[in-house]
Amino acid sequence: NSGPCKWPHGGNGKVSRVIRIGTRKSQLARIQTDSVAEKLKKLYPDVLLEIVAMSTTGDKILDTALSKIGEKSLFTKELENALERNEVDLVVHSLKDLPTVLPLGFTIGAVLERECPFDAVVLHLKNTGKCLDTLPEKSIIGTSSLRRAAQLKKRFPHLEFKDIRGNLNTRLKKLDEKEDFSAIILAAAGLTRMGWENRISQVLNPDDCMYAVGQGALAVEVRVRDKDILEMVSVLHHPDTVLRCIAERAFLRHLEGGCSVPVAVHTEVKDSQLYLTGAVYSLDGSDSLKETMQTSILPGNQVEEGVDEGAQRVGVTASNVPRASQDAAEKLGVDLAQLLLSKGAKEILTVARQLNDAR
């Protein structure tokens, strides 16, 4: 029941609310949404959950490189429209698809525990047993990510890189059924969620390829004004992941990067310290800047009561994570971006953007 009455009565006289969850139609999006729905179902057995699937522009335009079309909001716009029109109450995204500045009225109400954030190599079956190092000279690697291509060109100069588009299923099909690609690069988390770990022949470590901001984490987007829904999903927050992703998003936002520029990160929480490594690259990876900074995220012993109205940090609302820790994480991202900008990051990114636009 998703009519105007939001609080239908169950047969036993208990009020049970219908919560509608919006998702993209792709198989991975459905799997990710179902996993969040299951967690909510366990926590709130009385809530009725309804999943609403829709196609997005990003799913429809399959023949153009991602970095050439309307950017980050590609996969999120239609879902946000549905959220705005009250057709759904929450939307599940891959956090790396969400821009660092969200449209007014929306916020990320939950960042779930991050899965492996690294990129993975999936080989054409004829190359079984090889890795990027041992692939023959001029082998063609498929990736539509400027970030991946920039880092890997530099690290593996004997390989060539070509755009490959489509959702996970489409890309694997293109790899397996044609001879165009020797291997493709995909996020390990997506492959794992699809149950395709057996196709991962190599997980790239940070020395080979640092990951995208927010990669491997799922995010739940809600309306800012829906305090009850915000509170309901906030229990899904994973504090370390929240702090790592706030730092990463603050870094990217301060650099003004999107998916049309090669920006990469690596974060770690160890002994109450948050470590952030961030880098920017020219398109061919020949020019790059990379630095690491750290901050203490040891909170005071009090979690502040009540939702602080202006509590969004780079789009994330996490009232159950200590504010002081969130502030420290955000400052870390901004400080690291400042450091790279002071060393010439702006010039590298501007050239990368212009070259990419001209492609």
Side-chain angles (χ1 to χ4, degrees):
N1 177 353
S2 54
C5 172
K6 270 212 172 157
W7 300 91
H9 286 269
N12 56 3
K14 272 174 75 180
V15 171
S16 62
R17 168 143 194 207
V18 175
I19 304 284
R20 295 148 309 155
I21 308 180
T23 175
R24 285 165 63 190
K25 280 185 177 155
S26 79
Q27 190 186 350
L28 178 60
R30 290 301 306 253
I31 288 172
Q32 295 181 163
T33 301
D34 290 343
S35 77
V36 171
E38 252 156 65
K39 288 188 169 75
L40 288 173
K41 197 83 204 126
K42 272 204 187 83
L43 292 160
Y44 307 101
D46 291 338
V47 168
L48 298 172
L49 298 171
E50 198 180 288
I51 291 176
V52 181
M54 50 194 97
S55 281
T56 67
T57 313
D59 296 313
K60 293 170 192 151
I61 313 178
L62 289 176
D63 52 355
T64 318
L66 270 186
S67 59
K68 303 288 283 179
I69 23 186
E71 256 321 302
K72 275 262 190 272
S73 56
L74 214 51
F75 295 111
T76 55
K77 196 70 219 128
E78 276 88 347
L79 297 171
E80 282 171 347
N81 289 344
L83 203 51
E84 192 162 21
R85 292 192 299 263
N86 278 335
E87 289 163 16
V88 297
D89 302 298
L90 48 114
V91 176
V92 177
H93 302 280
S94 294
L95 181 57
K96 71 170 180 170
D97 289 337
L98 278 172
T100 52
V101 180
L102 296 183
L104 210 60
F106 300 114
T107 189
I108 295 163
V111 177
L112 283 75
E113 182 168 6
R114 192 173 216 164
E115 293 201 39
C116 168
F118 298 105
D119 290 317
V121 179
V122 180
L123 293 169
H124 189 285
L125 296 171
K126 66 173 188 237
N127 293 313
T128 305
K130 292 195 165 72
C131 59
L132 291 183
D133 264 325
T134 56
L135 280 174
E137 191 81 25
K138 299 254 183 286
S139 292
I140 293 177
I141 313 298
T143 173
S144 51
S145 155
L146 300 178
R147 171 189 58 82
R148 289 172 183 147
Q151 294 180 82
L152 297 173
K153 279 174 185 169
K154 172 93 169 138
R155 173 74 183 74
F156 304 99
H158 68 294
L159 303 174
E160 308 217 325
F161 294 85
K162 263 205 169 122
D163 273 331
I164 184 169
R165 277 292 321 280
N167 58 35
L168 277 186
N169 309 55
T170 320
R171 290 187 203 195
L172 277 180
K173 226 175 136 109
K174 284 181 183 171
L175 172 70
D176 291 340
E177 294 178 7
K178 294 186 173 148
E179 295 287 320
D180 299 5
F181 299 101
S182 300
I184 58 178
I185 315 290
L186 298 164
L191 288 162
T192 305
R193 290 184 190 126
M194 294 284 271
W196 293 339
E197 298 97 322
N198 62 330
R199 289 303 307 267
I200 297 178
S201 32
Q202 179 183 2
V203 173
L204 296 169
N205 65 42
D207 295 331
D208 291 335
C209 191
M210 295 203 304
Y211 42 84
V213 166
Q215 184 160 318
L218 293 181
V220 181
E221 190 179 17
V222 299
R223 291 179 288 265
V224 175
R225 65 169 190 272
D226 281 349
K227 300 297 177 235
D228 49 344
I229 300 252
L230 198 51
E231 195 168 321
M232 177 180 161
V233 301
S234 70
V235 295
L236 300 173
H237 270 309
H238 180 253
D240 280 3
T241 305
V242 169
L243 295 174
R244 288 170 65 186
C245 291
I246 283 177
E248 292 173 18
R249 286 172 63 82
F251 171 70
L252 182 64
R253 181 198 267 187
H254 203 74
L255 283 176
E256 292 180 19
C259 50
S260 64
V261 291
V263 173
V265 292
H266 176 65
T267 45
E268 209 176 351
V269 173
K270 223 167 53 194
D271 308 324
S272 305
Q273 292 284 317
L274 171 59
Y275 298 84
L276 168 64
T277 301
V280 300
Y281 303 89
S282 58
L283 289 190
D284 64 358
S286 61
D287 206 359
S288 65
L289 287 167
K290 178 170 156 186
E291 296 288 345
T292 303
M293 290 176 89
Q294 70 192 80
T295 187
S296 164
I297 47 166
L298 200 59
N301 43 18
Q302 79 305 333
V303 170
E304 300 84 346
E305 280 307 302
V307 177
D308 154 19
E309 279 305 316
Q312 277 202 56
R313 283 172 190 78
V314 275
V316 180
T317 301
S319 51
N320 49 349
V321 176
R323 271 182 220 169
S325 307
Q326 294 187 56
D327 288 338
E330 185 172 30
K331 183 176 183 317
L332 178 66
V334 173
D335 288 350
L336 186 66
Q338 277 299 123
L339 178 61
L340 289 188
L341 288 168
S342 74
K343 295 182 175 227
K346 197 60 153 188
E347 292 66 39
I348 294 178
L349 292 178
T350 303
V351 172
R353 202 177 268 124
Q354 289 165 345
L355 280 174
N356 184 56
D357 290 343
R359 282 201 307 173

